[in-house]
Amino acid sequence: DIQMTQSPASLSASLGETVSIECLASEDIYNNLAWYQQKPGKSPQLLIYYASNLQDGVPSRFSGSGSGTQYSLKINSLESEDAATYFCLQDSEYPWTFGGGTKLELK
Amino acid sequence: EVQLVESGGGLVQPGRSLKLSCVVSGFNFSYYGMYWIRQAPGKGLEWVAYISSGCSYIYYAETVKGRFTISRDNAKNTLYLQMTSLRSEDTALYYCARQGDGSGVMDAWGQGASVTVSS
């Protein structure tokens, strides 16, 4: 199975700041990488698919990049509503696997 | 409006069975692949199973293979997860989700059904 190592596990940032979250795959996943946001008590919401494609309705301050085994999610100009846990997902091969999650706290 | 509503969760003893359902509305269910994903309390997400629109392709996580069965009834707009030989480690919130036709990944999720396996 492909292992997804996500970092950092937690992150604290201020409103207006820019943050990045990383995911490292155990092998090349050919850009088959998605990012999800999950708020407490809610279902995950798709942000980015195929490494850099913004899902409809997602604010443009979210962006994704990467290739091969290394991928990142960048959030520009943090807003209070961005406080959540973020997960990466590799959909290159079954079984699909998620990263461990990054909890983003707003100061 | 796209909606997915899970049901059938509950408290069950180890070794017993449980069947989850996910009724969908707001989209043409028969055209979409579907997933089950679970989340243990306070933990991350675990992909559990996938079924294609016409049931030609079915995949399972190793942790549930041979114990869980994913199925669907396109006439009833319903996805199922039959769970047998349940273990304490199967305790989780179980989400059903739709495979996005553009993204290929889960683009709509239900609110989840809670399953607790305990004696």
Side-chain angles (χ1 to χ4, degrees), chain B residues 20-90:
Chain B
L20 303 182
S21 300
C22 171
V23 177
V24 313
S25 59
F27 64 97
N28 193 330
F29 178 67
S30 62
Y31 286 173
Y32 288 84
M34 297 293 295
Y35 307 90
W36 287 99
I37 301 99
R38 68 185 181 183
Q39 188 168 34
K43 301 297 183 182
L45 299 166
E46 180 185 14
W47 174 88
V48 173
Y50 167 79
I51 186 168
S52 62
S53 57
C55 304
S56 298
Y57 300 97
I58 292 176
Y59 304 102
Y60 297 98
E62 284 298 323
T63 51
V64 306
K65 194 177 291 185
R67 300 188 299 122
F68 289 12
T69 302
I70 188 171
S71 62
R72 62 191 297 160
D73 186 334
N74 287 342
K76 294 184 177 180
N77 286 348
T78 304
L79 176 73
Y80 302 101
L81 186 67
Q82 176 70 55
M83 303 183 290
T84 64
S85 303
L86 282 161
R87 307 166 180 167
S88 58
E89 54 265 37
D90 296 318

Side-chain angles (χ1 to χ4, degrees), chain A residues 6 15 35 54-55 74 90:
Chain A
Q6 188 172 340
L15 295 176
W35 290 98
L54 196 66
Q55 174 69 355
K74 185 177 177 182
Q90 71 79 18

Side-chain angles (χ1 to χ4, degrees), chain A residues 1 34 36 38 42-44 46 49 55 87 89 91 94-96 98 100, chain B residues 35 37 39 44-45 47 50 59 95 102-107 109-111:
Chain A
D1 297 0
Y36 289 86
Q38 186 179 32
K42 300 294 186 181
S43 307
L46 177 63
Y49 62 93
Q55 174 69 355
F87 295 94
L89 166 73
D91 62 305
Y94 288 106
W96 290 5
F98 289 91
Chain B
Y35 307 90
I37 301 99
Q39 188 168 34
L45 299 166
W47 174 88
Y50 167 79
Y59 304 102
Y95 295 102
S103 66
V105 294
M106 297 78 83
D107 73 341
W109 299 59
Q111 85 289 348

